[in-house]
């Protein structure tokens, strides 16, 4: 039985472990953290991701803790005027196997972990930071111990150690944008404040997204603000509630009410980092997957979905032949164009969301009159089916 050694047990690493173990591989996942815990934040999964999770038979478990939004609604952040409302989960046929779901990250992680650990030959090793890799012998090292396999997967996130070891790559770049992330109990909010849909409020140099998770018990909030002068010492920094309030001063009263409900909670500001698309994703029998090779800004809500797609494509290509390096070449060829497009479209969305003055007025007018909106983009994202042999990548 071939053996895969995977660095990182995020959404990408766990998905890769599930995909490979289902395809008959022995899998060991090495996670640096002593406990697998997720930040208190939400994650949206489009049909392109849930179709794969359904194939892995995980949808029933995910549905228990997910929320299914009715639409994506874009509004002007000050007036609250609806600029565009695109239905989600409207097609009952697609809903069966590829719904649009919103989850607390801990709930998604729990489902993925339990699926992995129920598969024969799969093992999760916590407190195992990977510090070395040899792509020619498909081995990695961890605190002085060497582990040998047939394949090494670097799924160790945007600050990937494996990316650095394999490609001596450049550092990440602060995008000049920071993100507030809040998780609020729905029962602490005024009744009717949060509709059962994803709300996107667009304002000058900032935007705010909110949606329900955990069956509607919690509301996830992400507020992104352009902050080019900030020089973050850390990726996440504790910040004052007053700063959060100041960042959204002047916004619609619904946003103010939402933020006011966070007054007693600890507030954190994330520095959003980026990296240019990379030309080569593998060396010999070691490859990168997920944020390690294509970190994706959150403005399309597709970074985790791309990691899940990577995992499914990798397992599919490895199943097609015994030649691992040839499979890795096909994996790279299939995944690079799509992930590059998603990285670039996510960056472009930030510019559109944050327009000011006349440009913002024009954006709002074209959206209100149905001349612009997420339609074509979301079709290209959501209809993509990596499991189907004829799928266009
Ligand atoms: P990570 O989640 O970063 O996991 C990497 C893992 O590797 C971690 O567990 C880490 O501890 C471990 N690790 C690191 N180094 C080592 C080492 N040396 N040895 C062993 N283990 C190691 N995406 C969506 O699809 N939908 C969304 O709605 C969405 N919203 C987002 C909102 C925000 C504000 C942000 C910032 C991102 C969002 N994303 C979203 C993107 C998504 O979170 C990421 O793309 C995704 O989590 C990447 O998963 P990953 O497994 O590749 O990396």
């Amino acid at each position: 039985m071939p053996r895969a050694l995977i660095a990182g047990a995020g959404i990408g690493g766990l998905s890769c472990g599930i995909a490979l173990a289902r395809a008959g591989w022995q899998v060991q996942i090495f996670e640096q953290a002593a406990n697998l815990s997720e930040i208190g934040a939400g994650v949206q999964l489009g049909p392109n991701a849930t179709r794969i999770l359904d194939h892995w038979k995980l949808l029933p478990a995910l549905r228990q803790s997910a929320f299914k939004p009715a639409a994506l609604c874009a509004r002007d952040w000050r007036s609250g005027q609806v600029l565009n409302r695109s239905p989600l989960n409207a097609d009952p046929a697609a809903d069966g196997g590829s719904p649009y779901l919103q989850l607390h990250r801990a709930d998604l992680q729990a489902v993925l972990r339990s699926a992995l650990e129920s598969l024969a030959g799969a093992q999760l090793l916590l407190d195992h930071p990977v510090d070395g890799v040899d792509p020619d012998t498909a081995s990695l090292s961890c605190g002085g111990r060497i582990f040998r396999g047939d394949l090494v997967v670097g799924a160790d996130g945007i600050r990937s150690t494996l990316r650095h070891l394999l490609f001596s790559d450049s550092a990440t770049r602060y995008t000049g944008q920071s993100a507030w992330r809040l998780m609020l109990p729905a029962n602490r909010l005024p009744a009717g404040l949060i509709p059962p849909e994803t709300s996107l409020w667009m304002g000058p140099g900032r935007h705010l997204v909110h949606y329900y998770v955990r069956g509607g018990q919690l509301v996830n909030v992400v507020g992104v603000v352009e902050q080019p002068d900030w020089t973050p010492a850390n990726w996440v920094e504790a910040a004052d509630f007053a700063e959060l309030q100041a960042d959204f001063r002047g916004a619609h009263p619904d946003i103010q009410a939402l933020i006011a409900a966070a007054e007693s909670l600890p507030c954190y500001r994330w520095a959003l980092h980026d990296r240019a698309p990379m030309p080569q994703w593998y060396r010999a029998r070691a490859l990168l997957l997920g944020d390690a090779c294509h970190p994706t800004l959150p403005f399309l809500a597709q970074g985790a979905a791309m990691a899940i797609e990577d995992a499914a494509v990798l397992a599919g290509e490895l199943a097609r032949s015994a030649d691992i390096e040839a499979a890795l070449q096909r994996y790279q060829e299939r995944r690079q164009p799509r992930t590059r497009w998603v990285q670039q479209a996510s960056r472009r969305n930030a510019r559109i969301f944050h327009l000011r003055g006349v440009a913002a007025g024009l954006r709002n007018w074209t959206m209100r009159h149905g001349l612009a909106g997420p339609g074509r983009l979301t079709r290209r994202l959501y209809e993509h089916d990596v499991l189907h042999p004829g799928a266009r990548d």
Side-chain angles (χ1 to χ4, degrees), residues 25-214:
W25 283 66
Q26 273 194 352
V27 169
Q28 279 182 312
I29 303 188
F30 300 78
E31 167 57 46
Q32 66 180 2
N35 293 303
L36 208 56
S37 61
E38 257 293 358
I39 53 163
V43 62
Q44 309 192 61
L45 293 178
N48 53 315
T50 57
R51 191 175 291 122
I52 299 167
L53 297 166
D54 182 45
H55 180 69
W56 296 341
K57 309 214 177 322
L58 304 183
L59 265 193
L62 289 171
R63 282 181 194 276
Q64 285 178 23
S65 54
F67 185 83
K68 241 174 56 184
L72 166 61
C73 181
R75 293 171 186 268
D76 179 83
W77 90 308
R78 196 183 294 276
S79 68
Q81 183 177 36
V82 173
L83 305 173
N84 178 275
R85 179 175 270 116
S86 309
L88 294 170
N89 293 310
D91 175 1
D95 183 40
S98 52
Y100 192 102
L101 297 181
Q102 296 168 330
L103 289 130
H104 192 297
R105 281 173 184 258
D107 297 338
L108 173 59
Q109 185 184 61
V111 169
L112 294 176
R113 180 180 183 169
S114 133
L116 177 92
E117 291 182 329
S118 71
L119 288 164
Q123 190 185 19
L124 174 61
L125 300 164
L126 297 174
D127 206 5
H128 276 67
V130 174
D131 50 30
V133 58
D134 181 348
D136 296 316
T137 56
S139 55
L140 50 75
S141 65
C142 197
R145 284 179 69 196
I146 307 283
F147 296 81
R148 293 187 200 289
D150 300 285
L151 178 73
V152 171
V153 181
D156 48 348
I158 184 169
R159 286 173 283 175
S160 172
T161 300
L162 267 74
R163 177 172 176 153
H164 178 70
L165 292 170
L166 290 168
F167 299 103
S168 312
D169 210 21
S170 58
T172 62
R173 180 186 70 91
Y174 171 54
T175 57
Q177 295 154 343
S178 68
W180 296 96
R181 296 170 103 173
L182 304 167
M183 187 64 81
L184 299 166
N187 61 12
R188 273 176 48 171
L189 298 170
L193 182 72
I194 308 295
E197 54 192 26
T198 303
S199 298
L200 162 67
W201 301 78
M202 297 187 287
R206 67 210 60 222
H207 74 273
L208 187 132
V209 172
H210 57 71
Y211 54 83
Y212 286 108
V213 298
R214 204 165 279 170

Side-chain angles (χ1 to χ4, degrees), residues 7-25:
I11 295 169
L14 290 171
S15 298
C16 184
I18 293 168
L20 293 182
R22 282 176 53 87
W25 283 66

